[in-house]
């Protein structure tokens, strides 16, 4: 019996968001909206998204001993996330600078801060937490060596979900543990490197599977998603909504999919549910504040 449906090991950032009519070109300055500060970071986002849906969720992360760190901890606890694994200190809390245009698309620059100080030793020290989780989800806003240690510290029957963002080449040991590897087109190109070929997402998925993951999910924005495993490749249709801000939509998609896999759903069914969660997220501004409850997803 696991204590947690989902353990998220990852980043926690303060999102500093400005709305713009268009993104500036090199050397150009544009005026934007008033600055808004939201709790964010891929790890913290996934934990809140899962907890909001009803998953028993814990977070292993590091924040600074500062106002942004307190904002993040308060947000986690308000959502019902177990924060016993959140370490405090070592560097300022990570910050993400986000611009959002009128279509809802965003551009993000991240200063890792304390996220870069989440070490393999921290993972080893949290071994009891990892062994208490049915599914473990992680990303690449923390050091890759820390992600490798997460793979090595998994309980024998735990399932690993990885979103390789921001993307970088992955060691075979990590790829082989992914079930699934969840990534978009840009991330797929980086992971595949010279092996990248073809314009069809089905081609990317098959090439990615050949690199070792047990399963792969390719997110395609307004075109839905694609799931691939030894059982084949299939499309998951998009849920049509009026997008206001896509910030956090990918994180809520990943969290929902990880949770539903832990409940025993098939990859296709879990991805279809996750598509609804991601769509619902995009209808609100900000990341964590826009994550839906299970009731809101059902009503979409």
């Amino acid at each position: 019996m696991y204590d947690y449906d989902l353990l998220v090991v990852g980043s926690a950032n303060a999102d500093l968001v400005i709305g713009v009519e268009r993104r500036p070109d090199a050397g150009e300055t544009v005026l934007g909206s008033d600055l808004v500060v939201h709790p964010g970071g891929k790890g913290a986002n996934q934990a809140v998204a899962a907890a909001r849906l009803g998953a028993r969720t814990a977070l292993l992360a590091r924040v600074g001993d500062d106002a942004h760190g307190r904002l993040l901890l308060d947000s986690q606890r308000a959502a019902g996330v177990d924060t016993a694994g959140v370490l405090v200190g070592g560097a300022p809390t990570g910050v993400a600078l986000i611009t959002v245009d009128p279509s809802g698309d965003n551009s993000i620059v991240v200063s890792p801060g304390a996220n870069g100080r989440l070490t393999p030793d921290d993972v080893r020290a949290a071994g009891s937490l990892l062994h208490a989780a049915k599914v473990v989800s992680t990303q690449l806003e923390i050091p890759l060596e820390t992600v490798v240690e997460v793979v090595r510290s998994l309980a024998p029957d735990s399932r690993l979900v990885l979103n390789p963002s921001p993307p970088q080449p992955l060691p075979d040991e990590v790829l082989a543990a992914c079930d699934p590897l969840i990534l978009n087109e840009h991330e797929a190109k980086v992971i595949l490197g010279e092996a990248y070929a073809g314009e069809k997402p089905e081609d990317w998925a098959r090439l990615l599977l050949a690199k070792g993951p047990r399963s792969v999910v390719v997110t395609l924005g307004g075109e839905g998603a694609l799931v691939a495993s030894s059982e084949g490749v299939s499309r998951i249709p998009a849920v049509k909504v009026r997008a206001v801000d896509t910030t956090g939509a990918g994180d809520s998609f990943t969290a929902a999919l990880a949770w539903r896999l832990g409940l025993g759903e098939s990859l296709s069914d879990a991805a279809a549910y996750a598509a609804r969660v991601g769509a619902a997220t995009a209808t609100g501004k900000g990341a964590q504040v826009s994550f839906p409850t299970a009731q809101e997803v059902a009503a979409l």
Side-chain angles (χ1 to χ4, degrees):
M1 182 67 183
Y2 291 101
D3 294 329
Y4 304 106
D5 299 314
L6 179 65
L7 168 66
V8 181
V9 184
S11 59
N13 294 324
D15 287 350
L16 279 55
V17 184
I18 300 177
V20 294
E21 286 300 313
R22 62 179 179 82
R23 297 181 184 86
D25 293 327
E28 182 185 19
T29 299
V30 300
L31 293 178
S33 66
D34 290 343
L35 175 70
V36 179
V37 181
H38 297 292
K42 286 187 171 297
N45 284 351
Q46 288 182 17
V48 168
R52 193 79 55 81
L53 291 168
R56 298 171 301 161
T57 309
L59 175 65
L60 173 56
R62 183 177 287 277
V63 299
D65 186 10
D66 50 33
H68 287 156
R70 290 187 285 277
L71 170 71
L72 287 156
L73 281 168
D74 288 347
S75 176
Q76 294 292 313
R77 290 163 181 160
V81 176
D82 187 332
T83 60
V86 179
L87 306 168
V88 179
T93 300
V95 172
L97 306 176
I98 303 173
T99 57
V100 182
D101 70 18
S103 73
D105 284 337
N106 60 60
S107 295
I108 305 174
V109 177
V110 175
S111 171
N115 298 308
R117 275 71 165 187
L118 187 67
T119 66
D121 283 343
D122 294 331
V123 173
R124 285 188 285 269
S128 60
L129 199 60
L130 273 89
H131 280 243
K134 185 182 299 184
V135 180
V136 177
S137 178
T138 190
Q139 326 80 36
L140 298 183
E141 287 184 341
I142 57 176
L144 181 57
E145 62 181 1
T146 305
V147 174
V148 171
E149 189 59 38
V150 170
V151 169
R152 294 173 178 172
S153 302
L154 289 171
D157 296 327
S158 292
R159 186 166 188 163
L160 180 75
V161 175
L162 172 64
N163 172 217
S165 179
Q168 61 179 291
L170 295 172
D172 292 344
E173 180 181 7
V174 172
L175 284 167
C178 295
D179 193 15
L181 177 70
I182 303 177
L183 68 183
N184 61 23
E185 177 181 359
H186 171 64
E187 292 152 2
K189 288 181 179 179
V190 174
I191 300 302
L192 287 171
E194 294 181 358
Y196 179 79
E199 294 300 321
K200 292 183 178 180
E202 286 82 357
D203 295 334
W204 314 336
R206 292 187 181 96
L207 289 168
L208 286 162
L209 271 181
K211 292 181 75 70
R214 302 175 193 181
S215 58
V216 170
V217 176
V218 181
T219 57
L220 303 170
E223 299 301 314
L226 181 148
V227 301
S229 68
S230 59
E231 298 178 357
V233 180
S234 61
R235 289 265 186 164
I236 304 298
V239 179
K240 301 299 182 183
V241 295
R242 182 181 177 275
V244 174
D245 181 0
T246 58
T247 306
D251 298 329
S252 65
F253 176 97
T254 298
L257 188 147
W259 173 49
R260 302 297 280 202
L261 288 174
L263 295 179
E265 289 190 0
S266 69
L267 184 60
S268 293
D269 287 346
Y273 182 83
R276 296 173 66 85
V277 173
T281 299
T283 63
K285 290 187 177 181
Q288 295 179 18
V289 294
S290 64
F291 292 154
T293 64
Q295 291 77 17
E296 290 167 340
V297 175
L300 183 64

